[in-house]
Amino acid sequence: MTTSDYLIIFFKIVGSLALLIYGMKIMSEALQKMAGSQLRHVLGAMTTNRFTGMLTGTFITCAVQSSSATTVMTVSFVNAGLLTLAQAISVIMGANIGTTLTAWIMSLGYSVDLTNFVFPAFLVGIILIYSRRHRYKGDFLFGIAFLFFSLVLLSAGGKELNLQENPDVISFFSSFDVKNYFTIIIFLLIGTVITCVVQSSAAVMAITILLCSTGVLPIYLGIALVMGENIGTTATANLAALGANTQARRTALAHLVFNVFGVIWVMCLFYPFVNAVCRFVGYDPQGAALSNSEMTVKLPLVLAAFHTSFNVVNTFVLIWFIPQIEKVVCWLIKPGKKEEDEEFRLRFIHSGIMKTPELSVLEAQKEIMSFAERIQRMFGMVRELLEIQDEAKFVKLFSRIEKYEGISDSMEIEIAKYLDEVSDAHLSDETKAKIRGMLRQITELESIGDSCYNLARTINRRFNSKEDFTVKQYDRLNQMMELTDSALTQMNVLYNGRRENLDANRSFSIENEINNYRNQLKNQNLSDVNNHEYTYTIGTMYMDIINECEKLGDYVVNVVEARMGTKQHES
């Protein structure tokens, strides 16, 4: 063949790999959208011990066909405080088993002519995509059709290359001594590096199957590449965890430790282990050469069987040592310096690759919960400020409240910016509605922060004046602030449960109490000023605080309604 022929085949193979990666991405995202938030609930609920955690990881990875999605999801859960490190390690072990299904799908693609399935799948898929109700099923069909079509093209490209008849290629691979451990380690490292670069173990597995099925790459070297892929695929979670908290980085490192340890013990038993897998499939690596058709069927099965055996045995061995793995990663990654609460820092949102919109929404929701808790702490400072008489303490606390007001402004901007980035992706209707609700929530939470600062400024005005509230006014102010704090507490209660299990009526009842008490105090204030119990100036500042508490109560109800997905509150 001429150079131009080789160039055409090369681009055909590279294009087929690109189609394979795209098909996997489309299929995985469609499955996640179809599952919606149920996968997140399953992950949160089914990790009571190491075995259920492992089964959960296996189930989710089989469901979404992406171990990277499962591991990044797990890192996000640990970052959000929904999973412990030990639970996360068991989920990741299960994800390693679940991802072996991909290898079996690929081996099927090389051994069975899937052309007859692919084109009807495209036809049905496009019909479903234009149906609003079933469009995610259409996306899934397109994704799996792209995946199988790419395997058909790869197989055809491999046949066109005719590598088994190329003496240069045969002599190149024959120059490697497959009985030498150093050669095995070299190919293991090659598999690791390539997987890290392309960020797709599926693509590297496809190339490995292609080379082995043509007979030019010895099965031992192909299996070394597969082991390298297992290590390389951990790069995704580690990259995603770079901006996360300590526990999330430890989770990602545990994935790497688990796979590296597995490779180490398999290397100690490499030839007996590989030979056992080959015998199980019915292939003798030392026997007579197989025909092209036999190699095309048998060798992909050997690679898929090894991939499954390696991950299942590795999980069975290491699942008993989860506490020890936890200690190792805790020793390798020391806890970071604890930052003061007064410093602006998003706790749960972090930049990372391979995140799906469904996962990003979880992180944003946790960040909004943190925002709501911080706002209630700010209101607690305002209550404390009202009681302080010492000037130095007053100035110090007022400065802290000012700082919190700046933090609330920054949190609103950063969370909104993050949600805006998420909304650029293709989203399910449910996720779009959640993002709209979240944007409304952060706007109202920032308004609560403004109200807290307005209260502090009014109290500061009173402190700097020559007048003070009467004992009765202090009692009434404390009662109003107690009601307002109850509203904030109830708002945070609603943030800490699943929406469908929550009832917002308690929040509405508290708001009615606040409104009624404000009206009562308004009339009482007019009477007290007329009776000269205090001056008009102090009465004005007193009512400013009362009215601001009532406004704050309205903002709280707006947050609750946005959280519950109900209509805008009318003040």
Side-chain angles (χ1 to χ4, degrees), residues 324-335:
Q324 287 72 25
I325 295 172
E326 189 176 5
K327 284 177 185 173
V328 168
V329 294
C330 288
W331 176 74
L332 289 171
I333 298 180
K334 301 290 189 289

Side-chain angles (χ1 to χ4, degrees), residues 223-244:
I223 283 173
L225 286 176
V226 171
M227 289 198 297
E229 291 155 22
N230 256 47
I231 296 174
T233 196
T234 64
T236 304
N238 279 281
L239 285 170
L242 285 177

Side-chain angles (χ1 to χ4, degrees), residues 209-343:
I209 291 174
L210 174 66
L211 290 171
C212 285
S213 63
T214 57
V216 296
L217 182 68
I219 193 65
Y220 292 116
L221 301 185
I223 283 173
L225 286 176
V226 171
M227 289 198 297
E229 291 155 22
N230 256 47
I231 296 174
T233 196
T234 64
T236 304
N238 279 281
L239 285 170
L242 285 177
N245 61 24
T246 304
Q247 286 295 82
R249 282 185 284 119
R250 286 171 175 169
T251 304
L253 182 63
H255 190 201
L256 177 61
V257 169
F258 169 73
N259 281 2
V260 168
F261 188 85
V263 166
I264 290 170
W265 73 255
V266 167
M267 284 299 292
C268 297
L269 304 167
F270 184 73
Y271 294 104
F273 191 85
V274 173
N275 292 339
V277 172
C278 289
R279 279 197 299 273
F280 174 75
V281 175
Y283 169 70
D284 181 7
Q286 313 295 338
L290 298 175
S291 67
N292 286 347
S293 60
E294 286 177 316
M295 279 192 295
T296 303
V297 174
K298 285 279 177 73
L299 293 176
L301 289 176
V302 172
L303 290 171
F306 172 81
H307 194 216
T308 304
S309 304
F310 167 70
N311 283 297
V312 168
V313 175
N314 195 30
T315 300
F316 180 76
V317 170
L318 292 183
I319 199 166
W320 308 100
F321 297 98
I322 286 177
Q324 287 72 25
I325 295 172
E326 189 176 5
K327 284 177 185 173
V328 168
V329 294
C330 288
W331 176 74
L332 289 171
I333 298 180
K334 301 290 189 289
K337 183 183 170 187
K338 194 171 181 181
E339 296 184 48
E340 284 188 34
D341 191 49
E342 282 79 49
E343 296 301 319

Side-chain angles (χ1 to χ4, degrees), residues 66-269:
S66 172
S67 62
S68 294
T70 306
T71 50
V72 171
M73 192 191 302
T74 306
V75 168
S76 299
F77 265 61
V78 175
N79 192 55
L82 299 178
L83 285 181
T84 65
L85 179 55
Q87 287 172 326
I89 293 170
S90 67
V91 172
I92 285 171
M93 287 180 173
N96 271 34
I97 295 174
T99 195
T100 61
L101 181 63
T102 307
W104 286 106
I105 291 172
M106 287 186 180
S107 66
L108 175 71
Y110 275 89
S111 55
V112 177
D113 183 8
L114 296 166
T115 316
N116 295 332
F117 161 80
V118 167
F119 294 109
F122 279 131
L123 177 62
V124 175
I126 198 69
I127 293 168
L128 292 175
I129 283 171
Y130 281 98
S131 157
R132 184 174 179 82
R133 189 176 170 189
H134 300 291
R135 67 182 183 278
Y136 302 134
K137 292 173 186 171
D139 284 340
F140 168 73
L141 270 178
F142 250 73
I144 200 165
F146 276 139
L147 170 64
F148 286 144
F149 191 45
S150 68
L151 293 174
V152 170
L153 293 175
L154 272 173
S155 181
K159 286 171 185 170
E160 283 181 49
L161 273 176
N162 203 22
L163 293 176
Q164 62 270 33
E165 303 296 332
N166 190 316
D168 294 330
V169 175
I170 292 169
S171 64
F172 172 74
F173 282 111
S174 299
S175 65
F176 294 103
D177 182 7
V178 295
K179 292 295 184 183
N180 187 326
Y181 266 100
F182 183 71
T183 304
I184 302 299
I185 291 168
I186 292 292
F187 272 79
L188 188 149
L189 293 173
I190 291 170
T192 303
V193 171
I194 295 173
T195 309
C196 286
V197 170
V198 301
Q199 283 291 301
S200 172
S201 58
V204 185
M205 175 65 85
I207 285 291
T208 308
I209 291 174
L210 174 66
L211 290 171
C212 285
S213 63
T214 57
V216 296
L217 182 68
I219 193 65
Y220 292 116
L221 301 185
I223 283 173
L225 286 176
V226 171
M227 289 198 297
E229 291 155 22
N230 256 47
I231 296 174
T233 196
T234 64
T236 304
N238 279 281
L239 285 170
L242 285 177
N245 61 24
T246 304
Q247 286 295 82
R249 282 185 284 119
R250 286 171 175 169
T251 304
L253 182 63
H255 190 201
L256 177 61
V257 169
F258 169 73
N259 281 2
V260 168
F261 188 85
V263 166
I264 290 170
W265 73 255
V266 167
M267 284 299 292
C268 297
L269 304 167

Side-chain angles (χ1 to χ4, degrees), residues 205-481:
M205 175 65 85
I207 285 291
T208 308
I209 291 174
L210 174 66
L211 290 171
C212 285
S213 63
T214 57
V216 296
L217 182 68
I219 193 65
Y220 292 116
L221 301 185
I223 283 173
L225 286 176
V226 171
M227 289 198 297
E229 291 155 22
N230 256 47
I231 296 174
T233 196
T234 64
T236 304
N238 279 281
L239 285 170
L242 285 177
N245 61 24
T246 304
Q247 286 295 82
R249 282 185 284 119
R250 286 171 175 169
T251 304
L253 182 63
H255 190 201
L256 177 61
V257 169
F258 169 73
N259 281 2
V260 168
F261 188 85
V263 166
I264 290 170
W265 73 255
V266 167
M267 284 299 292
C268 297
L269 304 167
F270 184 73
Y271 294 104
F273 191 85
V274 173
N275 292 339
V277 172
C278 289
R279 279 197 299 273
F280 174 75
V281 175
Y283 169 70
D284 181 7
Q286 313 295 338
L290 298 175
S291 67
N292 286 347
S293 60
E294 286 177 316
M295 279 192 295
T296 303
V297 174
K298 285 279 177 73
L299 293 176
L301 289 176
V302 172
L303 290 171
F306 172 81
H307 194 216
T308 304
S309 304
F310 167 70
N311 283 297
V312 168
V313 175
N314 195 30
T315 300
F316 180 76
V317 170
L318 292 183
I319 199 166
W320 308 100
F321 297 98
I322 286 177
Q324 287 72 25
I325 295 172
E326 189 176 5
K327 284 177 185 173
V328 168
V329 294
C330 288
W331 176 74
L332 289 171
I333 298 180
K334 301 290 189 289
K337 183 183 170 187
K338 194 171 181 181
E339 296 184 48
E340 284 188 34
D341 191 49
E342 282 79 49
E343 296 301 319
F344 170 62
R345 179 177 66 96
L346 293 178
R347 291 172 57 198
F348 303 108
I349 288 173
H350 62 279
S351 58
I353 58 168
M354 270 295 296
K355 280 224 289 286
T356 63
E358 309 294 333
L359 296 181
S360 301
V361 166
L362 170 78
E363 293 187 337
Q365 188 63 48
K366 290 296 289 184
E367 201 64 69
I368 293 170
M369 287 170 66
S370 174
F371 190 4
E373 288 165 5
R374 203 187 287 247
I375 286 293
Q376 186 167 11
R377 283 197 295 277
M378 185 180 178
F379 184 74
M381 290 177 206
V382 172
R383 292 186 71 182
E384 194 181 333
L385 193 72
L386 183 66
E387 304 294 334
I388 291 178
Q389 300 300 324
D390 181 77
E391 187 172 355
K393 287 182 180 177
F394 187 95
V395 170
K396 186 180 178 183
L397 186 55
F398 184 72
S399 297
R400 280 186 73 196
I401 292 169
E402 279 188 310
K403 201 169 189 179
Y404 260 66
E405 206 276 329
I407 289 171
S408 74
D409 289 344
S410 299
M411 287 192 80
E412 182 198 15
I413 291 165
E414 291 301 316
I415 297 171
K417 200 186 294 181
Y418 181 76
L419 288 171
D420 189 48
E421 287 173 13
V422 174
S423 63
D424 287 340
H426 296 293
L427 304 172
S428 63
D429 291 338
E430 183 189 1
T431 305
K432 284 177 187 173
K434 279 182 183 174
I435 289 176
R436 284 195 297 273
M438 286 178 179
L439 287 168
R440 187 176 149 202
Q441 288 168 48
I442 58 174
T443 302
E444 300 294 346
L445 285 170
E446 196 276 330
S447 296
I448 295 173
D450 288 344
S451 279
C452 289
Y453 184 51
N454 289 339
L455 287 167
R457 285 168 61 193
T458 305
I459 295 167
N460 185 48
R461 240 175 45 235
R462 200 284 311 154
F463 191 84
N464 292 326
S465 72
K466 302 297 179 187
E467 299 181 79
D468 197 0
F469 297 131
T470 65
V471 173
K472 282 184 180 178
Q473 282 179 310
Y474 271 116
D475 287 343
R476 290 162 186 164
L477 285 170
N478 283 325
Q479 193 172 339
M480 174 58 96
M481 287 191 168

